[in-house]
Amino acid sequence: MSSAENTVSHFLPAGDYSLDATLSSGQVFRWRRREEAWEGVVGNRWVRLAQTRGGLHAEAMDGDGEWQWLIGFLQVEVDLKAVQGQWPDDPPLRAAAARWPGLRLLNQRPWECLASFILSSNKQIVQIHQMVDELCRRYGVPVRAPAGAGPAHAFPAAASLAACSEADLRACGLGFRAPYLRETARRVAQAEIDLDGLRRLPVQEARRRLEGLPGVGRKIADCVLLFALDFSEVFPVDVWVEKALRRWYFAGRQPTRRCLMQFAERHFGPQGGYAQQYLFHAARLGSDRSGNDWPAGGTANNELATAVSRGFPTVQ
DNA sequence: GGTGGGCCTTGAGT
DNA sequence: AACTCAAGGCCCA
């Protein structure tokens, strides 16, 4: 029992969980690192997380003693080695798994995930943080948190954002995304689309319905399918992942974007989403300011990785 | 029917 | 102080 500020503590065993890699890997946009811990809000609960020996230390406000809301979000019970065992055995994935042990996919609530990624278009991660924070501060329900703690608002309900004017949303810095978010919020609030119900559909149909929402194209639909709707095979291709694929799997060739998508779908398999997260992390963090590429000493690795895609047509 | 380019807002980084 | 660029979507040729 923590002595501070009426919080309760819980230990989540997980030998291979990297809080730093997971919470900073661009899946979620409102976690804040404070001292040696991470603070955020899951649903309507404030929580502080810290890496400890053999697992995670969680601290929340007094509750009913149930922690499933957090266990489910963090996916601590997923067997990471088993997931990686379903990957194809290729050098970039091997190297990424070795360099970022414990990088995990989270399981987000669909509405928050969808809304956040509508805001992500053509924005850097820090800017997405700012937009989401401002939306939560203005339109999110306050949640109980220790005095002076990090974010203390739930993510705004769809109905709350649907009730905003476009100008209200632009005031949060959304720019041209404001009307997209407003209209999508309206459709969700009025049950014109059932986000949770998409889980029961074939992936192509779920994707098609998401792409029918304004501000949602293939990339953002795929993020929601993977990060919130349990479609573990979905492989979102953004600019970073596209760079990674071209560099590490198609060195010296110029595949079309469509070709890359087909290769990814075929090559990475039923746990392709997890593979994508590692490649994304590697592409984004793996090259330093001097321009050195990753994996280090990459020539041999690149040749091996390129061999993986050898014979795969780069046109059509 | 698929592809490529311009445009859309904003602010952080340089 | 400009200027570029950023986990894209949309519209058009």
Side-chain angles (χ1 to χ4, degrees):
Chain A
M1 180 66 162
S2 165
S3 59
E5 301 165 335
N6 297 325
T7 61
V8 292
S9 296
H10 189 64
F11 176 72
L12 307 173
D16 52 355
Y17 203 114
S18 170
L19 224 40
D20 286 341
T22 300
L23 293 177
S24 68
S25 65
Q27 306 174 60
V28 285
F29 302 105
R30 49 182 322 223
W31 287 80
R32 193 178 306 276
R33 203 179 203 297
R34 167 181 293 223
E35 290 158 9
E36 293 306 303
W38 286 89
E39 294 178 355
V41 173
V42 177
N44 58 358
R45 303 178 203 250
W46 174 91
V47 62
R48 174 186 288 144
L49 301 170
Q51 195 87 47
T52 65
R53 186 173 180 77
L56 306 177
H57 175 85
E59 195 178 347
M61 303 303 285
D62 319 294
D64 46 16
E66 285 298 323
W67 292 89
Q68 193 54 46
W69 56 276
L70 184 61
I71 293 167
F73 172 75
L74 292 173
Q75 297 281 283
V76 284
E77 293 177 336
V78 167
D79 182 343
L80 197 49
K81 289 290 176 260
V83 167
Q84 295 176 349
Q86 293 187 56
W87 286 351
D89 185 24
D90 69 45
L93 286 180
R94 272 206 303 273
R99 173 142 177 196
W100 289 283
L103 172 59
R104 302 258 179 168
L105 285 178
L106 300 165
N107 185 212
Q108 304 181 46
R109 299 270 58 79
W111 162 244
E112 176 170 349
C113 183
L114 170 62
S116 298
F117 277 95
I118 285 176
L119 303 188
S120 75
S121 97
N122 211 31
K123 280 288 189 186
Q124 303 177 100
I125 290 179
V126 282
Q127 298 174 285
I128 304 167
H129 269 274
Q130 292 171 9
M131 292 186 288
V132 171
D133 281 348
E134 191 61 17
L135 277 180
C136 292
R137 197 180 65 76
R138 293 195 189 200
Y139 302 111
V141 175
V143 301
R144 295 176 56 223
H153 296 264
F155 192 85
S160 302
L161 296 185
C164 293
S165 67
E166 182 179 327
D168 291 336
L169 298 180
R170 282 180 182 269
C172 297
L174 304 199
F176 64 83
R177 303 158 196 81
Y180 296 158
L181 181 61
R182 181 170 131 85
E183 171 61 11
T184 291
R186 189 195 64 75
R187 293 191 199 178
V188 170
Q190 299 188 357
E192 292 179 18
I193 181 168
D194 171 17
L195 295 179
D196 285 297
L198 297 180
R199 270 186 261 263
R200 298 189 296 270
L201 272 38
V203 61
Q204 297 89 342
E205 175 62 15
R207 179 185 289 125
R208 195 186 66 78
R209 294 196 189 182
L210 285 169
E211 287 179 331
L213 298 168
V216 181
R218 172 65 184 251
K219 191 270 173 180
I220 289 174
D222 280 357
C223 285
V224 177
L225 292 172
L226 176 64
F227 297 145
L229 296 176
D230 307 322
F231 288 95
S232 60
E233 75 277 28
V234 169
F235 190 100
V237 177
D238 71 304
V239 293
W240 289 106
V241 171
E242 183 170 345
K243 277 185 210 171
L245 292 177
R246 290 182 186 280
R247 181 170 304 156
W248 298 328
Y249 294 88
F250 290 88
R253 288 185 280 172
Q254 310 294 325
T256 64
R257 197 183 162 73
R258 177 174 182 75
C259 165
L260 290 176
M261 305 274 291
Q262 288 180 353
F263 168 75
E265 189 168 340
R266 196 193 69 173
H267 179 67
F268 294 104
Q271 291 294 337
Y274 245 106
Q276 177 272 169
Q277 198 62 21
Y278 276 77
L279 293 178
F280 172 77
H281 210 61
R284 202 164 73 87
L285 302 184
S287 57
D288 59 31
R289 289 167 190 274
S290 62
N292 290 335
D293 193 11
W294 179 92
T299 307
N301 278 332
N302 285 350
E303 285 175 5
L304 284 170
T306 300
V308 167
S309 67
R310 190 160 296 148
F312 193 84
T314 53
V315 240
Q316 178 54 350

